[in-house]
Amino acid sequence: NAGVMQNPRHLVRRRGQEARLRCSPMKGHSHVYWYRQLPEEGLKFMVYLQKENIIDESGMPKERFSAEFPKEGPSILRIQQVVRGDSAAYFCASSPQSQKNEQFFGPGTRLTVL
Amino acid sequence: KNEVEQSPQNLTAQEGEFITINCSYSVGISALHWLQQHPGGGIVSLFMLSSGKKKHGRLIATINIQEKHSSLHITASHPRDSAVYICAVDLDQFYFGTGTSLTVIP
């Protein structure tokens, strides 16, 4: 019973490039959450998705960031035209359909922008 | 304004000591979570609480809803307990404390 999978674990991008972060939720989980942990800061909520729906994106920066959770395949967090300030650890969590509160975290993707 | 405050920020203990980490929050919540983040970065959910007390091995978590306060206790601490412990409250989304960095010295 695999846990939440994230890939890549480490991603290096140059300023202006695009970053795509993938999250495969636990089997049977249809709710996905993305969090960002900036260096020396705590975790911050970014977005909450269900299959094919964005439920809450109040924590997402207004520009360059987007997220999706298609009917098939992993959830994707996409950052366009990355800047150095985007360097952070991005964590994904998932929860079962009927239990929004109980979340299981992935190992995170560490994005470094050069 | 931080919805969640943790203390202490950093904590060093000798192996075997009893450890307490505190979390205070300022709003009504549906649940409170304690998370553990190891030096490698991975996050593990330790407890989800909405009232009372929970125990798992050497870890005990308590919550006082009226006082909007929770504590995480570690009994007979061990160097492998060294990690960052994060309190999170569940409103419409998760709000996280800044974490308590625990180092247990052999």
Side-chain angles (χ1 to χ4, degrees):
Chain A
N1 187 12
V4 179
M5 310 284 284
Q6 286 188 250
N7 69 82
R9 295 292 306 275
H10 300 273
L11 181 61
V12 179
R13 285 287 178 266
R14 296 192 180 280
R15 280 180 297 171
Q17 292 184 320
E18 179 180 285
R20 280 183 179 242
L21 288 62
R22 294 174 185 78
C23 170
S24 297
M26 285 181 70
K27 188 177 180 181
H29 287 192
S30 58
H31 297 208
V32 165
Y33 313 81
W34 285 94
Y35 301 97
R36 179 166 64 174
Q37 187 175 40
L38 290 164
E40 308 303 322
E41 292 188 24
L43 286 157
K44 294 283 194 296
F45 167 81
M46 297 184 76
V47 61
Y48 163 37
L49 309 106
Q50 294 178 23
K51 288 277 187 183
E52 299 184 280
N53 280 311
I54 297 174
I55 305 303
D56 181 355
E57 57 181 347
S58 58
M60 288 274 274
K62 294 288 184 281
E63 297 178 349
R64 303 187 297 107
F65 284 72
S66 62
E68 62 176 8
F69 189 16
K71 188 176 179 182
E72 301 290 337
S75 175
I76 307 261
L77 179 67
R78 182 181 176 207
I79 311 172
Q80 294 179 290
Q81 298 176 328
V82 295
V83 300
R84 288 219 174 105
D86 297 332
S87 295
Y90 292 83
F91 289 93
C92 163
S94 72
S95 67
Q97 186 171 5
S98 61
Q99 294 177 343
K100 171 180 178 275
N101 290 350
E102 190 172 8
Q103 298 185 18
F104 298 83
F105 284 80
T109 293
R110 271 144 195 83
L111 172 66
T112 302
V113 180
L114 301 177
Chain B
K1 175 183 176 294
N2 292 328
E3 287 82 3
V4 185
E5 299 282 349
Q6 273 187 250
S7 64
Q9 277 193 313
N10 296 286
L11 181 57
T12 300
Q14 292 287 335
E15 184 173 356
E17 283 187 11
F18 180 84
I19 288 163
T20 296
I21 299 170
N22 295 300
C23 175
S24 297
Y25 52 94
S26 56
V27 293
I29 61 172
S30 57
L32 181 143
H33 301 251
W34 282 102
L35 310 173
Q36 181 191 54
Q37 186 170 28
H38 274 283
I43 296 174
V44 174
S45 179
L46 298 174
F47 294 104
M48 181 177 74
L49 293 161
S50 54
S51 64
K53 174 180 173 179
K54 286 190 176 180
K55 184 176 189 292
H56 181 69
R58 295 181 293 106
L59 301 177
I60 303 166
T62 63
I63 188 167
N64 185 319
I65 298 293
Q66 287 73 30
E67 294 185 4
K68 294 187 171 61
H69 181 269
S70 176
S71 293
L72 176 68
H73 306 286
I74 305 175
T75 62
S77 60
H78 190 276
R80 65 173 174 266
D81 297 326
S82 298
V84 175
Y85 293 84
I86 303 168
C87 169
V89 298
D90 191 352
L91 298 171
D92 48 343
Q93 58 179 251
F94 268 29
Y95 293 90
F96 298 87
T98 52
T100 295
S101 179
L102 171 65
T103 303
V104 181
I105 299 170

